[in-house]
Amino acid sequence: LERAIAERVLPDELIFIAPNRPAFYPLFGKVAPVWWIYPLWKASSDEQLALISALEERGVDWALIIEEAIDGREELRFSSTHALVWAHIQREFEELLKKTPRSDRLFHRRE
């Protein structure tokens, strides 16, 4: 995964990593593009729209989503807790890596 990020994401490009791997930011030599680095709970619509807005305003072109059931609980998947953000990523980004360990899914903004 580290190699895949290094090969694709330029040093000055921002990447959103969710929901539970904030340690990846320093590992990849990146800073978090938004303040919310642990989106583990079910977010309200307003919170999700604010997150989408922040991603757009900051010009985030990459997203690494770890789409796994947190603690084995399906309702804690990112796609469940942040359905609006997940739909935005699905609509505005294309998936580049589909088969990676731990259900890591790498997306790049569509041109």
Side-chain angles (χ1 to χ4, degrees), residues 71-94:
D71 292 335
R73 296 174 53 194
E74 290 295 322
E75 71 272 16
L76 294 181
R77 284 185 183 276
F78 185 79
S79 59
S80 296
T81 62
H82 292 75
L84 296 176
V85 179
W86 180 248
H88 172 77
I89 290 170
Q90 295 286 316
R91 183 178 56 255
E92 301 294 327
F93 293 68
E94 82 177 286

PDB file of all heavy atoms in Angstrom, residues 71-94:
ATOM      1  N   ASP A  71     -14.263  -3.380  14.492  1.00  0.00           N
ATOM      2  CA  ASP A  71     -14.584  -4.314  15.581  1.00  0.00           C
ATOM      3  C   ASP A  71     -15.578  -5.383  15.141  1.00  0.00           C
ATOM      4  O   ASP A  71     -16.380  -5.863  15.938  1.00  0.00           O
ATOM      5  CB  ASP A  71     -15.131  -3.572  16.808  1.00  0.00           C
ATOM      6  CG  ASP A  71     -14.087  -2.709  17.490  1.00  0.00           C
ATOM      7  OD1 ASP A  71     -12.884  -3.024  17.349  1.00  0.00           O
ATOM      8  OD2 ASP A  71     -14.464  -1.738  18.159  1.00  0.00           O
ATOM      9  N   GLY A  72     -15.560  -5.716  13.843  1.00  0.00           N
ATOM     10  CA  GLY A  72     -16.465  -6.726  13.313  1.00  0.00           C
ATOM     11  C   GLY A  72     -17.912  -6.267  13.202  1.00  0.00           C
ATOM     12  O   GLY A  72     -18.793  -7.071  12.922  1.00  0.00           O
ATOM     13  N   ARG A  73     -18.159  -4.985  13.386  1.00  0.00           N
ATOM     14  CA  ARG A  73     -19.525  -4.444  13.353  1.00  0.00           C
ATOM     15  C   ARG A  73     -19.791  -3.786  12.007  1.00  0.00           C
ATOM     16  O   ARG A  73     -19.216  -2.749  11.683  1.00  0.00           O
ATOM     17  CB  ARG A  73     -19.709  -3.448  14.484  1.00  0.00           C
ATOM     18  CG  ARG A  73     -19.570  -4.113  15.865  1.00  0.00           C
ATOM     19  CD  ARG A  73     -19.603  -3.137  16.994  1.00  0.00           C
ATOM     20  NE  ARG A  73     -20.778  -2.280  16.942  1.00  0.00           N
ATOM     21  CZ  ARG A  73     -20.895  -1.167  17.662  1.00  0.00           C
ATOM     22  NH1 ARG A  73     -19.920  -0.787  18.477  1.00  0.00           N
ATOM     23  NH2 ARG A  73     -21.976  -0.426  17.574  1.00  0.00           N
ATOM     24  N   GLU A  74     -20.675  -4.393  11.225  1.00  0.00           N
ATOM     25  CA  GLU A  74     -21.006  -3.906   9.887  1.00  0.00           C
ATOM     26  C   GLU A  74     -21.498  -2.458   9.909  1.00  0.00           C
ATOM     27  O   GLU A  74     -21.217  -1.692   8.996  1.00  0.00           O
ATOM     28  CB  GLU A  74     -22.045  -4.811   9.226  1.00  0.00           C
ATOM     29  CG  GLU A  74     -21.518  -6.172   8.843  1.00  0.00           C
ATOM     30  CD  GLU A  74     -20.437  -6.109   7.772  1.00  0.00           C
ATOM     31  OE1 GLU A  74     -20.536  -5.288   6.845  1.00  0.00           O
ATOM     32  OE2 GLU A  74     -19.478  -6.893   7.877  1.00  0.00           O
ATOM     33  N   GLU A  75     -22.235  -2.092  10.954  1.00  0.00           N
ATOM     34  CA  GLU A  75     -22.791  -0.741  11.020  1.00  0.00           C
ATOM     35  C   GLU A  75     -21.705   0.321  11.218  1.00  0.00           C
ATOM     36  O   GLU A  75     -21.971   1.515  11.094  1.00  0.00           O
ATOM     37  CB  GLU A  75     -23.856  -0.630  12.122  1.00  0.00           C
ATOM     38  CG  GLU A  75     -23.325  -0.676  13.540  1.00  0.00           C
ATOM     39  CD  GLU A  75     -23.188  -2.076  14.134  1.00  0.00           C
ATOM     40  OE1 GLU A  75     -23.210  -3.081  13.378  1.00  0.00           O
ATOM     41  OE2 GLU A  75     -23.043  -2.163  15.361  1.00  0.00           O
ATOM     42  N   LEU A  76     -20.470  -0.117  11.492  1.00  0.00           N
ATOM     43  CA  LEU A  76     -19.369   0.830  11.662  1.00  0.00           C
ATOM     44  C   LEU A  76     -18.457   0.918  10.437  1.00  0.00           C
ATOM     45  O   LEU A  76     -17.401   1.542  10.500  1.00  0.00           O
ATOM     46  CB  LEU A  76     -18.551   0.484  12.911  1.00  0.00           C
ATOM     47  CG  LEU A  76     -19.294   0.644  14.230  1.00  0.00           C
ATOM     48  CD1 LEU A  76     -18.386   0.309  15.402  1.00  0.00           C
ATOM     49  CD2 LEU A  76     -19.867   2.050  14.383  1.00  0.00           C
ATOM     50  N   ARG A  77     -18.849   0.301   9.334  1.00  0.00           N
ATOM     51  CA  ARG A  77     -18.118   0.520   8.074  1.00  0.00           C
ATOM     52  C   ARG A  77     -18.239   1.992   7.700  1.00  0.00           C
ATOM     53  O   ARG A  77     -19.268   2.627   7.939  1.00  0.00           O
ATOM     54  CB  ARG A  77     -18.705  -0.317   6.936  1.00  0.00           C
ATOM     55  CG  ARG A  77     -18.356  -1.762   6.977  1.00  0.00           C
ATOM     56  CD  ARG A  77     -18.909  -2.462   5.721  1.00  0.00           C
ATOM     57  NE  ARG A  77     -18.619  -3.875   5.795  1.00  0.00           N
ATOM     58  CZ  ARG A  77     -17.477  -4.431   5.421  1.00  0.00           C
ATOM     59  NH1 ARG A  77     -16.509  -3.658   4.946  1.00  0.00           N
ATOM     60  NH2 ARG A  77     -17.292  -5.725   5.526  1.00  0.00           N
ATOM     61  N   PHE A  78     -17.214   2.539   7.059  1.00  0.00           N
ATOM     62  CA  PHE A  78     -17.261   3.938   6.632  1.00  0.00           C
ATOM     63  C   PHE A  78     -18.482   4.193   5.750  1.00  0.00           C
ATOM     64  O   PHE A  78     -19.143   5.215   5.879  1.00  0.00           O
ATOM     65  CB  PHE A  78     -15.967   4.313   5.893  1.00  0.00           C
ATOM     66  CG  PHE A  78     -15.897   5.762   5.541  1.00  0.00           C
ATOM     67  CD1 PHE A  78     -15.554   6.708   6.489  1.00  0.00           C
ATOM     68  CD2 PHE A  78     -16.171   6.194   4.255  1.00  0.00           C
ATOM     69  CE1 PHE A  78     -15.492   8.053   6.179  1.00  0.00           C
ATOM     70  CE2 PHE A  78     -16.115   7.535   3.920  1.00  0.00           C
ATOM     71  CZ  PHE A  78     -15.771   8.469   4.886  1.00  0.00           C
ATOM     72  N   SER A  79     -18.790   3.249   4.862  1.00  0.00           N
ATOM     73  CA  SER A  79     -19.937   3.418   3.971  1.00  0.00           C
ATOM     74  C   SER A  79     -21.253   3.474   4.736  1.00  0.00           C
ATOM     75  O   SER A  79     -22.245   3.995   4.218  1.00  0.00           O
ATOM     76  CB  SER A  79     -19.981   2.298   2.934  1.00  0.00           C
ATOM     77  OG  SER A  79     -20.064   1.031   3.559  1.00  0.00           O
ATOM     78  N   SER A  80     -21.272   2.968   5.959  1.00  0.00           N
ATOM     79  CA  SER A  80     -22.476   3.030   6.793  1.00  0.00           C
ATOM     80  C   SER A  80     -22.506   4.279   7.666  1.00  0.00           C
ATOM     81  O   SER A  80     -23.537   4.926   7.808  1.00  0.00           O
ATOM     82  CB  SER A  80     -22.562   1.802   7.697  1.00  0.00           C
ATOM     83  OG  SER A  80     -22.706   0.630   6.931  1.00  0.00           O
ATOM     84  N   THR A  81     -21.383   4.622   8.259  1.00  0.00           N
ATOM     85  CA  THR A  81     -21.345   5.770   9.168  1.00  0.00           C
ATOM     86  C   THR A  81     -21.294   7.104   8.428  1.00  0.00           C
ATOM     87  O   THR A  81     -21.660   8.132   8.993  1.00  0.00           O
ATOM     88  CB  THR A  81     -20.132   5.699  10.114  1.00  0.00           C
ATOM     89  OG1 THR A  81     -18.930   5.739   9.346  1.00  0.00           O
ATOM     90  CG2 THR A  81     -20.185   4.444  10.981  1.00  0.00           C
ATOM     91  N   HIS A  82     -20.833   7.072   7.188  1.00  0.00           N
ATOM     92  CA  HIS A  82     -20.681   8.292   6.382  1.00  0.00           C
ATOM     93  C   HIS A  82     -21.215   8.057   4.972  1.00  0.00           C
ATOM     94  O   HIS A  82     -20.496   8.221   3.980  1.00  0.00           O
ATOM     95  CB  HIS A  82     -19.207   8.714   6.336  1.00  0.00           C
ATOM     96  CG  HIS A  82     -18.700   9.173   7.652  1.00  0.00           C
ATOM     97  ND1 HIS A  82     -18.411   8.317   8.691  1.00  0.00           N
ATOM     98  CD2 HIS A  82     -18.480  10.421   8.121  1.00  0.00           C
ATOM     99  CE1 HIS A  82     -18.022   9.008   9.737  1.00  0.00           C
ATOM    100  NE2 HIS A  82     -18.048  10.286   9.416  1.00  0.00           N
ATOM    101  N   ALA A  83     -22.469   7.668   4.896  1.00  0.00           N
ATOM    102  CA  ALA A  83     -23.069   7.286   3.608  1.00  0.00           C
ATOM    103  C   ALA A  83     -23.018   8.409   2.576  1.00  0.00           C
ATOM    104  O   ALA A  83     -22.783   8.147   1.386  1.00  0.00           O
ATOM    105  CB  ALA A  83     -24.509   6.818   3.819  1.00  0.00           C
ATOM    106  N   LEU A  84     -23.213   9.652   2.995  1.00  0.00           N
ATOM    107  CA  LEU A  84     -23.169  10.772   2.043  1.00  0.00           C
ATOM    108  C   LEU A  84     -21.754  10.993   1.512  1.00  0.00           C
ATOM    109  O   LEU A  84     -21.563  11.253   0.317  1.00  0.00           O
ATOM    110  CB  LEU A  84     -23.690  12.058   2.688  1.00  0.00           C
ATOM    111  CG  LEU A  84     -25.158  12.065   3.103  1.00  0.00           C
ATOM    112  CD1 LEU A  84     -25.490  13.374   3.815  1.00  0.00           C
ATOM    113  CD2 LEU A  84     -26.055  11.863   1.893  1.00  0.00           C
ATOM    114  N   VAL A  85     -20.766  10.904   2.392  1.00  0.00           N
ATOM    115  CA  VAL A  85     -19.369  11.061   1.965  1.00  0.00           C
ATOM    116  C   VAL A  85     -18.988   9.902   1.056  1.00  0.00           C
ATOM    117  O   VAL A  85     -18.345  10.096   0.014  1.00  0.00           O
ATOM    118  CB  VAL A  85     -18.421  11.149   3.180  1.00  0.00           C
ATOM    119  CG1 VAL A  85     -16.972  11.282   2.727  1.00  0.00           C
ATOM    120  CG2 VAL A  85     -18.810  12.300   4.091  1.00  0.00           C
ATOM    121  N   TRP A  86     -19.393   8.698   1.421  1.00  0.00           N
ATOM    122  CA  TRP A  86     -19.112   7.519   0.607  1.00  0.00           C
ATOM    123  C   TRP A  86     -19.733   7.678  -0.789  1.00  0.00           C
ATOM    124  O   TRP A  86     -19.081   7.413  -1.793  1.00  0.00           O
ATOM    125  CB  TRP A  86     -19.636   6.271   1.302  1.00  0.00           C
ATOM    126  CG  TRP A  86     -19.409   5.010   0.563  1.00  0.00           C
ATOM    127  CD1 TRP A  86     -20.366   4.214  -0.011  1.00  0.00           C
ATOM    128  CD2 TRP A  86     -18.158   4.372   0.285  1.00  0.00           C
ATOM    129  NE1 TRP A  86     -19.789   3.129  -0.617  1.00  0.00           N
ATOM    130  CE2 TRP A  86     -18.431   3.205  -0.442  1.00  0.00           C
ATOM    131  CE3 TRP A  86     -16.843   4.681   0.586  1.00  0.00           C
ATOM    132  CZ2 TRP A  86     -17.431   2.344  -0.885  1.00  0.00           C
ATOM    133  CZ3 TRP A  86     -15.847   3.827   0.152  1.00  0.00           C
ATOM    134  CH2 TRP A  86     -16.142   2.672  -0.579  1.00  0.00           C
ATOM    135  N   ALA A  87     -20.974   8.144  -0.862  1.00  0.00           N
ATOM    136  CA  ALA A  87     -21.643   8.359  -2.154  1.00  0.00           C
ATOM    137  C   ALA A  87     -20.901   9.417  -2.963  1.00  0.00           C
ATOM    138  O   ALA A  87     -20.740   9.279  -4.184  1.00  0.00           O
ATOM    139  CB  ALA A  87     -23.099   8.759  -1.929  1.00  0.00           C
ATOM    140  N   HIS A  88     -20.433  10.469  -2.294  1.00  0.00           N
ATOM    141  CA  HIS A  88     -19.661  11.519  -2.972  1.00  0.00           C
ATOM    142  C   HIS A  88     -18.378  10.945  -3.569  1.00  0.00           C
ATOM    143  O   HIS A  88     -18.049  11.218  -4.728  1.00  0.00           O
ATOM    144  CB  HIS A  88     -19.340  12.643  -1.972  1.00  0.00           C
ATOM    145  CG  HIS A  88     -18.415  13.671  -2.499  1.00  0.00           C
ATOM    146  ND1 HIS A  88     -18.816  14.649  -3.373  1.00  0.00           N
ATOM    147  CD2 HIS A  88     -17.081  13.862  -2.296  1.00  0.00           C
ATOM    148  CE1 HIS A  88     -17.768  15.408  -3.677  1.00  0.00           C
ATOM    149  NE2 HIS A  88     -16.711  14.947  -3.039  1.00  0.00           N
ATOM    150  N   ILE A  89     -17.676  10.149  -2.796  1.00  0.00           N
ATOM    151  CA  ILE A  89     -16.439   9.537  -3.292  1.00  0.00           C
ATOM    152  C   ILE A  89     -16.742   8.604  -4.455  1.00  0.00           C
ATOM    153  O   ILE A  89     -16.047   8.625  -5.474  1.00  0.00           O
ATOM    154  CB  ILE A  89     -15.689   8.817  -2.148  1.00  0.00           C
ATOM    155  CG1 ILE A  89     -15.114   9.854  -1.179  1.00  0.00           C
ATOM    156  CG2 ILE A  89     -14.575   7.921  -2.694  1.00  0.00           C
ATOM    157  CD1 ILE A  89     -14.556   9.288   0.097  1.00  0.00           C
ATOM    158  N   GLN A  90     -17.786   7.818  -4.343  1.00  0.00           N
ATOM    159  CA  GLN A  90     -18.164   6.904  -5.421  1.00  0.00           C
ATOM    160  C   GLN A  90     -18.498   7.669  -6.708  1.00  0.00           C
ATOM    161  O   GLN A  90     -18.184   7.211  -7.799  1.00  0.00           O
ATOM    162  CB  GLN A  90     -19.374   6.059  -5.001  1.00  0.00           C
ATOM    163  CG  GLN A  90     -19.111   5.124  -3.850  1.00  0.00           C
ATOM    164  CD  GLN A  90     -18.274   3.937  -4.273  1.00  0.00           C
ATOM    165  OE1 GLN A  90     -18.503   3.337  -5.305  1.00  0.00           O
ATOM    166  NE2 GLN A  90     -17.276   3.617  -3.480  1.00  0.00           N
ATOM    167  N   ARG A  91     -19.133   8.823  -6.567  1.00  0.00           N
ATOM    168  CA  ARG A  91     -19.572   9.616  -7.716  1.00  0.00           C
ATOM    169  C   ARG A  91     -18.428  10.439  -8.325  1.00  0.00           C
ATOM    170  O   ARG A  91     -18.297  10.515  -9.549  1.00  0.00           O
ATOM    171  CB  ARG A  91     -20.709  10.533  -7.271  1.00  0.00           C
ATOM    172  CG  ARG A  91     -21.335  11.372  -8.351  1.00  0.00           C
ATOM    173  CD  ARG A  91     -22.496  12.225  -7.826  1.00  0.00           C
ATOM    174  NE  ARG A  91     -22.117  13.096  -6.721  1.00  0.00           N
ATOM    175  CZ  ARG A  91     -22.438  12.899  -5.441  1.00  0.00           C
ATOM    176  NH1 ARG A  91     -23.132  11.853  -5.079  1.00  0.00           N
ATOM    177  NH2 ARG A  91     -22.045  13.752  -4.512  1.00  0.00           N
ATOM    178  N   GLU A  92     -17.598  11.034  -7.482  1.00  0.00           N
ATOM    179  CA  GLU A  92     -16.604  11.994  -7.949  1.00  0.00           C
ATOM    180  C   GLU A  92     -15.205  11.417  -8.159  1.00  0.00           C
ATOM    181  O   GLU A  92     -14.368  12.065  -8.772  1.00  0.00           O
ATOM    182  CB  GLU A  92     -16.511  13.165  -6.968  1.00  0.00           C
ATOM    183  CG  GLU A  92     -17.810  13.919  -6.779  1.00  0.00           C
ATOM    184  CD  GLU A  92     -18.262  14.653  -8.039  1.00  0.00           C
ATOM    185  OE1 GLU A  92     -17.395  15.117  -8.804  1.00  0.00           O
ATOM    186  OE2 GLU A  92     -19.478  14.748  -8.255  1.00  0.00           O
ATOM    187  N   PHE A  93     -14.973  10.225  -7.666  1.00  0.00           N
ATOM    188  CA  PHE A  93     -13.651   9.604  -7.731  1.00  0.00           C
ATOM    189  C   PHE A  93     -13.751   8.256  -8.443  1.00  0.00           C
ATOM    190  O   PHE A  93     -14.811   7.646  -8.477  1.00  0.00           O
ATOM    191  CB  PHE A  93     -13.098   9.362  -6.316  1.00  0.00           C
ATOM    192  CG  PHE A  93     -12.778  10.613  -5.546  1.00  0.00           C
ATOM    193  CD1 PHE A  93     -13.775  11.477  -5.111  1.00  0.00           C
ATOM    194  CD2 PHE A  93     -11.463  10.928  -5.228  1.00  0.00           C
ATOM    195  CE1 PHE A  93     -13.480  12.623  -4.380  1.00  0.00           C
ATOM    196  CE2 PHE A  93     -11.153  12.063  -4.496  1.00  0.00           C
ATOM    197  CZ  PHE A  93     -12.160  12.917  -4.074  1.00  0.00           C
ATOM    198  N   GLU A  94     -12.632   7.824  -8.992  1.00  0.00           N
ATOM    199  CA  GLU A  94     -12.577   6.478  -9.564  1.00  0.00           C
ATOM    200  C   GLU A  94     -11.672   5.617  -8.702  1.00  0.00           C
ATOM    201  O   GLU A  94     -10.670   6.089  -8.165  1.00  0.00           O
ATOM    202  CB  GLU A  94     -12.108   6.490 -11.016  1.00  0.00           C
ATOM    203  CG  GLU A  94     -10.628   6.555 -11.219  1.00  0.00           C
ATOM    204  CD  GLU A  94     -10.236   6.485 -12.682  1.00  0.00           C
ATOM    205  OE1 GLU A  94     -10.309   5.401 -13.283  1.00  0.00           O
ATOM    206  OE2 GLU A  94      -9.854   7.545 -13.196  1.00  0.00           O
TER     207      GLU A  94
END
